[in-house]
Amino acid sequence: MFGFSTYEYDDDGFRECNVTGLTIHKSAEDMVKLYGLTAILALAIGGVFALAVAMTRWELVGLLSAGDFYTYLSVHAWNLLIFWMVFMEIAILYVGGPFVLGRRLSLPSVAKVGWVIMAAGAVLVNAAILLTEYPNQAPLLTSYVPLPSSWQFYLGATVFVLGAIVAAVPFLATLWNHQQEHPSETLPLVTFGAFITSVVALEALLGGLITYVPTLLWRVGYFESLDPAFYRQMYWIIGHGSQQINLLAMITVWYFLTHVVGGAVVASQKVSRAAFVLYLFFINMGAAHHLMSDPVVSAGWRMWNTSYAAYGAVVASMIHAFAIPAGLEVGRRAKGKAGGLFGWLWSSPWDDPGFSATILSIILFGFLGGITGVMMGQMQLNMTWHNTLATVGHFHATVATGTTLAFMGLGYYVLRLVFGRDWSFGPLARIQPFLYGGAMGLTVLMMMYTGILFGVPRRHPSVMDIPGTAFSFSPAKPFFVVFGVAAILSILGGALFVVVALASLLFGEPFEGGPVGDVRRTAADGGEGKAAHAYSMRGTFTLCLVFLGAFVTLWALNWYLLSTIWQIGP
Ligand code: HEM
Ligand SMILES: [Cu+2]
């Protein structure tokens, strides 16, 4: 497809990848290319709008008028959080299913139809937002009822959701056919992770239909009104659910890339699989954290869903956060690539952007996104985060930094192993994950500081003069300078990825194959024939203690800050 690829197939359409050892069929490969490239296009569009949005919030520049700000913010959010992520996730399903199982993609024409529907939905959403005219309003990400967004927007959103459901069908059919032929085989871990992702995705997408179809009917006049409380609850099934898809897909990519590039093994299949199953049962309840400040749902309901129940999902995250670095440590110790506490880490292939993007994704997601998510998902602390720029900081740490970096890392390997192209501008490709991750880390911290320390609200075109507020935000000004510069750098970092990807496709040298990173893809387990869990994991354990220390410190600090604004007693 597209004629960019350098690989040849046998008469049945199969070829063997000499890096991963996977048997890959053209039907699946073509679709990975199609969905992957579409995702990168959405990333580029969203990134351009990011620049305008960030340069408006940096009031020194103050780029956009109030009216335009909401239009640009909506285009930014939909292209990045929805189109970049979901097109990439369908590609990940096709990697995790047919690629890993060594099969052709079942129902390949359904995959094409799915793409056409999704692309039509995406174009319609973008057009509807950009052409919004008063009294219609730009929807932002959430299009909360009774905000009147155009019916074309809701139609586009519905079409896109339907398209994503159609696109998931070939993946599920591939798994179904595989199980029919090999009823007693267990799915490989990456396929298992992709399967759980698809189940969570279908739940989320059904939530999307329950949200967008009634709203569309309201906008075309069929319903007189829609209950905002109903909308918010239903909306967050997809709004939060799609973040869970992002999380699960990212974790699946973490397992895949640390293995392919760093030589990681799975320390314990059972433990990692159990963690995926925990997500399946508990992660949806986290959706209630978006309703923390909503008066309609009872305090008991909020607390049960966001504390007790959601901790089932937090435990799962903690397990993966241990298992993935531990797998890397064990894999590298087994291959003699480690000495001392952290030798396995220092000796890793940091100059490989697939590897550095993955590790930066893990670290930044965990420390910046994960810790803040658990804090702001807690009822009392939520009060200091709700609707401030700190919330935006949180989700830029998770999706915009963590997931985006992981998907970029995967993108580098799609270029090599699927398109058969080596990276153009090699030195730039090597620094790209560090530039993007470093600058985004700083951008995110500034959003959090200005939100938590000064209460700067989210979704507001002006910063220092906000109607209805009696106090001054001006002490936040110096932080916005850092924010503005870091935002420009991170957008440059993102643009660099797009440039390297396109240049590699068009002008890249053929990728010669052979082992990548510094490990040979022969035996999956240790050279000495020891079981994976028999190797020391003390480096990972130490890292976990550092994480715990950071967690406790930030938790205590947030409670302290809350206590300074919330007087108890006389
Ligand atoms: C490339 C660097 C990026 C920068 C500098 C950036 C900056 C911003 C800024 C300043 C806002 C507006 C905050 C407000 O006023 O409320 C925003 C909103 C948002 N961004 Fe980004 N962003 C970036 C990348 C991303 C990525 C990669 C994603 C998703 C994967 C993303 C998803 C969102 C979403 C969902 C919103 C909220 C929209 C809403 O409130 O409805 N951003 N971003
Ligand atoms: Cu959520």
Side-chain angles (χ1 to χ4, degrees):
M1 174 161 294
F2 304 126
F4 292 135
S5 178
T6 62
Y7 291 126
E8 310 267 322
Y9 301 93
D10 67 18
D11 293 344
D12 288 335
F14 283 103
R15 69 176 182 88
E16 188 158 326
C17 170
N18 54 5
V19 171
T20 55
L22 296 175
T23 308
I24 298 176
H25 194 263
K26 186 170 184 305
S27 56
E29 196 152 65
D30 280 350
M31 287 303 111
V32 169
K33 291 174 186 168
L34 179 63
Y35 281 89
L37 285 183
T38 317
I40 293 179
L41 177 66
L43 177 70
I45 298 174
V48 171
F49 283 80
L51 187 62
V53 169
M55 290 307 107
T56 307
R57 298 261 22 193
W58 187 14
E59 216 168 14
L60 213 60
V61 181
L63 188 65
L64 299 174
S65 67
D68 286 343
F69 174 74
Y70 291 108
T71 307
Y72 280 58
L73 185 53
S74 306
V75 175
H76 168 70
W78 274 84
N79 282 284
L80 289 175
L81 193 61
I82 309 299
F83 306 142
W84 151 241
M85 299 261 127
V86 180
F87 277 109
M88 201 66 185
E89 277 146 8
I90 303 290
I92 290 171
L93 290 187
Y94 297 165
V95 170
F99 274 34
V100 174
L101 297 174
R103 302 181 64 90
R104 47 180 91 225
L105 180 69
S106 305
L107 308 176
S109 46
V110 176
K112 287 185 196 145
V113 173
W115 181 86
V116 171
I117 304 177
M118 284 171 72
V123 170
L124 189 53
V125 165
N126 272 311
I129 296 174
L130 287 167
L131 300 176
T132 295
E133 267 181 34
Y134 187 79
N136 285 334
Q137 302 287 343
L140 299 180
L141 182 72
T142 45
S143 52
Y144 282 142
V145 165
L147 180 83
S149 295
S150 66
W151 63 264
Q152 290 91 339
F153 162 77
Y154 286 106
L155 182 64
T158 310
V159 168
F160 182 80
V161 169
L162 278 174
I165 295 175
V166 172
V169 171
F171 165 78
L172 294 170
T174 308
L175 256 58
W176 175 266
N177 290 335
H178 181 80
Q179 287 308 97
Q180 293 296 310
E181 288 166 31
H182 310 273
S184 56
E185 256 178 44
T186 320
L187 290 177
L189 182 65
V190 168
T191 312
F192 186 74
F195 173 65
I196 302 277
T197 309
S198 73
V199 178
V200 173
L202 288 177
E203 287 172 15
L205 293 168
L206 287 180
L209 292 183
I210 306 174
T211 312
Y212 293 128
V213 172
T215 321
L216 175 61
L217 293 176
W218 164 61
R219 291 306 293 147
V220 295
Y222 185 78
F223 291 142
E224 205 164 288
S225 66
L226 214 60
D227 178 3
F230 166 85
Y231 179 92
R232 289 171 65 86
Q233 273 220 22
M234 295 307 136
Y235 171 78
W236 284 111
I237 299 177
I238 182 161
H240 178 79
S242 53
Q243 303 333 303
Q244 305 321 321
I245 312 172
N246 297 339
L247 176 83
L248 276 144
M250 174 187 69
I251 290 177
T252 306
V253 172
W254 286 353
Y255 277 106
F256 184 71
L257 281 182
T258 48
H259 170 64
V260 171
V261 193
V265 298
V266 180
S268 164
Q269 288 276 348
K270 285 202 183 97
V271 169
S272 291
R273 280 167 203 265
F276 275 117
V277 174
L278 277 174
Y279 276 151
L280 190 58
F281 288 108
F282 292 109
I283 208 155
N284 287 323
M285 300 176 173
H289 57 215
H290 297 277
L291 308 175
M292 282 289 185
S293 299
D294 279 28
V296 255
V297 277
S298 74
W301 183 89
R302 283 180 266 169
M303 261 188 265
W304 165 254
N305 282 290
T306 57
S307 306
Y308 304 105
Y311 290 151
V314 175
V315 168
S317 292
M318 298 287 97
I319 294 175
H320 290 302
F322 181 82
I324 291 168
L328 189 67
E329 178 168 5
V330 165
R332 296 185 68 77
R333 282 192 195 280
K335 294 178 186 78
K337 298 270 178 200
L341 196 57
F342 291 127
W344 54 279
L345 199 54
W346 306 140
S347 72
S348 288
W350 287 98
D351 58 350
D352 183 316
F355 182 83
S356 58
T358 308
I359 301 297
L360 286 172
S361 161
I362 297 176
I363 296 173
L364 293 169
F365 189 100
F367 278 88
L368 295 179
I371 294 179
T372 54
V374 175
M375 289 192 310
M376 68 194 288
Q378 202 245 1
M379 198 144 108
Q380 290 86 340
L381 295 184
N382 181 265
M383 288 185 284
T384 58
W385 286 72
H386 186 68
N387 272 351
T388 67
L389 207 50
T391 298
V392 185
H394 156 74
F395 66 74
H396 280 76
T398 52
V399 284
T401 312
T403 314
T404 297
L405 267 173
F407 288 5
M408 285 173 172
L410 186 68
Y412 281 114
Y413 272 84
V414 168
L415 286 173
R416 270 190 166 180
L417 305 183
V418 173
F419 285 103
R421 299 275 175 185
D422 216 345
W423 308 315
S424 299
F425 311 125
L428 287 183
R430 275 196 274 284
I431 59 161
Q432 187 274 329
F434 294 96
L435 175 62
Y436 184 76
M440 267 315 255
L442 197 56
T443 312
V444 154
L445 280 176
M446 290 308 118
M447 288 177 172
M448 290 178 188
Y449 285 162
T450 51
I452 283 286
L453 297 181
F454 308 108
V456 174
R458 68 184 287 198
R459 292 179 165 175
H460 207 276
S462 63
V463 180
M464 297 306 154
D465 65 322
I466 296 188
T469 45
F471 53 92
S472 163
F473 291 102
S474 54
K477 268 187 187 159
F479 290 93
F480 273 102
V481 176
V482 184
F483 161 81
V485 174
I488 294 175
L489 288 176
S490 51
I491 291 162
L492 278 179
L496 201 54
F497 170 77
V498 177
V499 169
V500 170
L502 292 185
S504 309
L505 274 183
L506 296 175
F507 320 111
E509 299 284 316
F511 175 62
E512 295 304 337
V516 293
D518 54 359
V519 282
R520 222 167 250 291
R521 293 272 74 60
T522 43
D525 51 5
E528 297 162 37
K530 282 204 276 181
H533 58 258
Y535 287 93
S536 165
M537 303 176 198
R538 58 186 190 279
T540 305
F541 183 66
T542 311
L543 293 178
C544 287
L545 290 181
V546 173
F547 184 74
L548 183 67
F551 204 131
V552 172
T553 310
L554 285 173
W555 187 273
L557 181 69
N558 268 262
W559 273 95
Y560 167 74
L561 289 173
L562 177 62
S563 77
T564 60
I565 51 173
W566 187 21
Q567 288 287 330
I568 300 174

